[in-house]
């Protein structure tokens, strides 16, 4: 995507993207709400303190960008592709490969520069490899073949398009709706088991804004659903999402102070009240877009365990407020208010990885297998109850 551009031109373009936010003199003198657009066109509301945090974050992004450009100059444009241990290297690991892998993990947790994000995501997530296994015209042929087809999935997609980030200067236009529709409809035919699930509209929309092209957004969505996230997360019964919620509840008890878990239990708080949206929309509806994309930077490189790290961090960061909550509604309000104003991704990710503690993919997988039987039994029981009420309908 960037092969024809000079690195200096890219660096200049990247620097020009990151604007310093300047609230009016009246806003600076009073703690009132101000509105502004972020890098991806979303309207953000916050006070002057929030603006100051965003400016500090954007300065950090500038400095981080210099590190990436320096590495491209010294190691080569695609140096980050030389980080994975292949079968040929298992017996004789190259020191440079290990160094690159360690360097890359640290860099990604500090954030990928916005102008490099599309190609780094596409390469490291496995999307480029997945795309290479099919004919070059796959996406175009798919969109043309299904253009006029009507299914329950296409009907739900059409219903959700105007509700996907309403007010966004591009997504909420006929052009934006058409592009998002093509991506979602194409994937609904690629994987009929998933088809379409509410939540994917927000994920695909944000992918479109970052990747810039429908085809790249389509392949990123494919690798996300087929390789990165847990199976069955977006199927009809959302069994995978239910499993994730049960795993998270266990982790909340183990990773957060016992008094917090006990207090939430005493309030009969169900984690699904906040986590369903987190796991289905991958925080795209909950966190500011620039913070969400920092989470996705790590998600596409380290895998779905990142979602648990971030979810736990949100609860840990709000521990003191949650401990004095008296009702379930209070808990939801505290969490929602916190996530909507989490403009500093470094603060969130520092807690997520330094204070939550380590979690391996293997450990998470074991927890999922442990929870699956109970989830499937519960869903089966629910289906039987519904069938007894609506015997003539297929549920």
């Amino acid at each position: 995507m960037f092969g024809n551009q000079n690195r200096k031109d890219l660096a200049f373009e990247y620097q020009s993207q990151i604007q310093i936010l300047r609230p009016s003199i009246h806003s600076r003198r009073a703690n009132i709400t101000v509105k502004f657009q972020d890098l991806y066109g979303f309207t953000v509301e916050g006070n002057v303190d929030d603006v100051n945090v965003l400016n500090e974050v954007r300065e950090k992004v500038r400095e981080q960008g210099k590190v990436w450009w320096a590495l491209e100059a010294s190691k080569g444009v695609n140096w980050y592709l030389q980080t994975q241990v292949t079968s040929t290297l298992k017996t004789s690991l190259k020191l440079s490969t290990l160094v690159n892998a360690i360097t890359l993990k640290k860099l990604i947790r500090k954030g990928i520069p916005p102008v490099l994000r599309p190609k780094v995501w596409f390469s490291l997530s496995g999307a480029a490899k997945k795309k290479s296994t099919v004919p070059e015209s796959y996406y175009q042929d798919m969109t043309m073949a299904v253009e006029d087809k009507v299914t329950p999935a296409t009907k739900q997609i059409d219903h959700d398009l105007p509700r996907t980030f309403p007010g966004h200067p591009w997504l909420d236009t006929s052009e934006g709706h058409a592009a998002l529709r093509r991506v979602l409809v194409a994937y609904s035919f690629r994987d009929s088991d998933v088809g379409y699930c509410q939540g994917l509209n927000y994920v695909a929309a944000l992918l479109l804004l970052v990747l810039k092209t429908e085809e790249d957004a389509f392949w990123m969505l494919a690798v996300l659903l087929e390789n990165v996230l847990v199976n069955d997360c977006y199927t009809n019964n959302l069994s995978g999402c239910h499993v994730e919620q049960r795993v998270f509840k266990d982790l909340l008890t183990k990773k957060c102070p016992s008094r917090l878990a006990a207090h939430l239990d005493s309030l009969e708080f169900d984690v699904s009240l906040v986590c369903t949206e987190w796991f289905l929309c991958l925080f795209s509806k909950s966190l500011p877009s620039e913070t969400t994309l920092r989470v996705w930077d790590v998600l596409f490189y380290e895998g779905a365990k990142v979602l648990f790290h971030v979810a736990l961090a949100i609860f840990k960061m709000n521990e003191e407020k949650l401990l004095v909550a008296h009702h379930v509604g209070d808990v939801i309000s505290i969490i929602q208010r916190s996530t909507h104003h989490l403009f500093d991704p470094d603060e969130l990710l520092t807690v997520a990885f330094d204070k939550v503690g380590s979690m391996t993919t293997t450990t998470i997988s074991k927890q999922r297998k442990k929870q699956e039987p109970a989830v499937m039994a519960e869903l089966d029981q629910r289906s039987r109850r519904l069938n007894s009420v609506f015997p003539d309908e297929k549920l």
Side-chain angles (χ1 to χ4, degrees):
M1 184 182 299
F2 298 100
N4 297 325
Q5 285 185 268
N6 181 278
R7 285 203 296 274
K8 289 184 178 178
D9 293 337
L10 278 174
F12 178 77
E13 175 189 341
Y14 158 66
Q15 295 291 343
S16 64
Q17 281 184 355
I18 304 173
Q19 301 174 350
I20 297 297
L21 304 171
R22 295 184 176 86
S24 70
I25 187 69
H26 301 292
S27 298
R28 288 198 295 270
R29 288 176 179 171
N31 189 26
I32 63 173
T33 299
V34 293
K35 290 186 178 182
F36 46 88
Q37 276 195 345
D38 66 15
L39 289 179
Y40 293 92
F42 293 98
T43 299
V44 180
E45 289 189 10
N47 57 35
V48 179
D49 289 336
D50 294 328
V51 173
N52 290 335
V53 168
L54 267 173
N55 283 332
E56 290 174 6
V57 168
R58 291 181 179 186
E59 184 57 38
K60 290 179 184 177
V61 171
R62 278 196 183 86
E63 293 304 313
Q64 186 69 0
K66 294 176 183 177
V67 176
W68 280 83
W69 297 122
L71 283 168
E72 291 222 340
S74 63
K75 294 177 177 286
V77 175
N78 294 320
W79 68 272
Y80 46 82
L81 296 181
Q82 311 301 318
T83 60
Q84 298 179 1
V85 180
T86 63
S87 57
T88 57
L89 288 175
K90 285 183 178 178
T91 54
S92 56
L93 292 174
K94 290 183 179 179
L95 181 60
S96 60
T97 301
L98 293 175
V99 170
N100 280 355
I102 294 169
T103 300
L104 183 60
K105 184 175 181 178
K106 290 180 178 178
L107 277 177
I108 287 177
R109 286 189 177 185
K110 290 183 179 179
I112 302 170
V115 75
L116 287 178
R117 189 169 270 144
K119 74 167 186 174
V120 175
W121 277 10
F122 205 71
S123 298
L124 293 180
S125 67
K129 183 178 180 180
K130 187 176 287 287
K131 180 182 177 182
S132 70
T133 63
V134 298
E136 191 173 339
S137 60
Y138 178 93
Y139 177 72
Q140 184 178 0
D141 293 343
M142 173 78 83
T143 54
M144 291 178 64
V146 304
E147 186 175 8
D148 297 320
K149 293 185 180 296
V150 178
T151 67
T154 64
K155 290 179 181 178
Q156 187 62 53
I157 289 168
D158 289 334
H159 181 69
D160 287 347
L161 289 175
R163 303 191 299 177
T164 308
F165 298 125
H168 187 276
W170 182 74
L171 287 172
D172 196 13
T173 64
S174 57
E175 181 186 357
H177 288 172
L180 180 57
R181 186 183 193 278
R182 285 189 289 269
V183 171
L184 291 171
V185 169
Y187 193 80
S188 75
F189 280 91
R190 174 181 169 87
D191 188 343
S192 57
D193 289 336
V194 171
Y196 170 73
C197 174
Q198 288 178 308
L200 290 180
N201 50 324
Y202 294 99
V203 175
L206 206 48
L207 287 173
L208 270 172
L209 290 179
V210 175
L211 277 297
K212 303 293 195 295
T213 73
E214 291 176 33
E215 187 172 8
D216 286 352
F218 170 83
W219 286 112
M220 285 298 297
L221 185 64
V223 82
L224 185 64
L225 300 185
E226 297 165 16
N227 301 97
V228 178
L229 300 178
V230 66
N231 291 335
D232 300 328
C233 206
Y234 293 95
T235 50
N236 285 337
N237 62 5
L238 300 179
S239 60
C241 186
H242 289 295
V243 169
E244 298 295 76
Q245 290 169 16
R246 281 176 172 261
V247 171
F248 176 71
K249 185 176 181 180
D250 275 358
L251 289 172
L252 188 64
T253 302
K254 294 173 182 176
K255 294 287 185 178
C256 286
S258 58
R259 58 176 185 159
L260 176 57
H263 180 64
L264 294 176
D265 278 343
S266 71
L267 297 178
E268 298 183 347
F269 171 73
D270 186 344
V271 295
S272 67
L273 294 171
V274 292
C275 289
T276 300
E277 184 177 280
W278 291 353
F279 291 137
L280 289 179
C281 300
L282 308 181
F283 296 102
S284 61
K285 278 190 70 181
S286 309
L287 297 172
S289 68
E290 295 177 51
T291 303
T292 300
L293 296 179
R294 284 286 301 279
V295 172
W296 287 15
D297 285 346
V298 193
L299 172 67
F300 286 127
Y301 187 60
E302 297 189 35
K305 68 172 186 175
V306 170
L307 301 177
F308 294 110
H309 277 277
V310 173
L312 288 167
I314 291 170
F315 274 87
K316 190 175 278 287
M317 292 169 72
N318 289 283
E319 178 187 350
E320 292 184 6
K321 292 179 181 178
L322 292 172
L323 284 172
V324 296
H326 297 291
H327 306 284
V328 169
D330 297 335
V331 175
I332 296 173
S333 296
I334 290 166
I335 294 296
Q336 289 181 342
R337 190 160 51 246
S338 167
T339 53
H340 291 162
H341 290 271
L342 259 173
F343 294 111
D344 187 351
D346 287 324
E347 180 186 10
L348 173 63
L349 294 178
T350 296
V351 176
F353 294 110
D354 294 347
K355 297 184 179 180
V356 164
S358 64
M359 288 184 283
T360 65
T361 300
T362 302
T363 302
I364 297 296
S365 296
K366 288 180 179 178
Q367 287 293 317
R368 286 174 180 144
K369 287 182 180 179
K370 178 183 175 182
Q371 298 294 343
E372 280 173 4
V375 168
M376 298 312 296
E378 183 180 303
L379 292 174
D380 182 61
Q381 188 178 25
R382 183 184 303 174
S383 178
R384 290 173 185 273
R385 285 200 305 268
L386 290 173
N387 283 329
S388 67
V389 176
F390 305 101
D392 298 327
E393 296 198 23
K394 186 179 179 181
L395 297 167

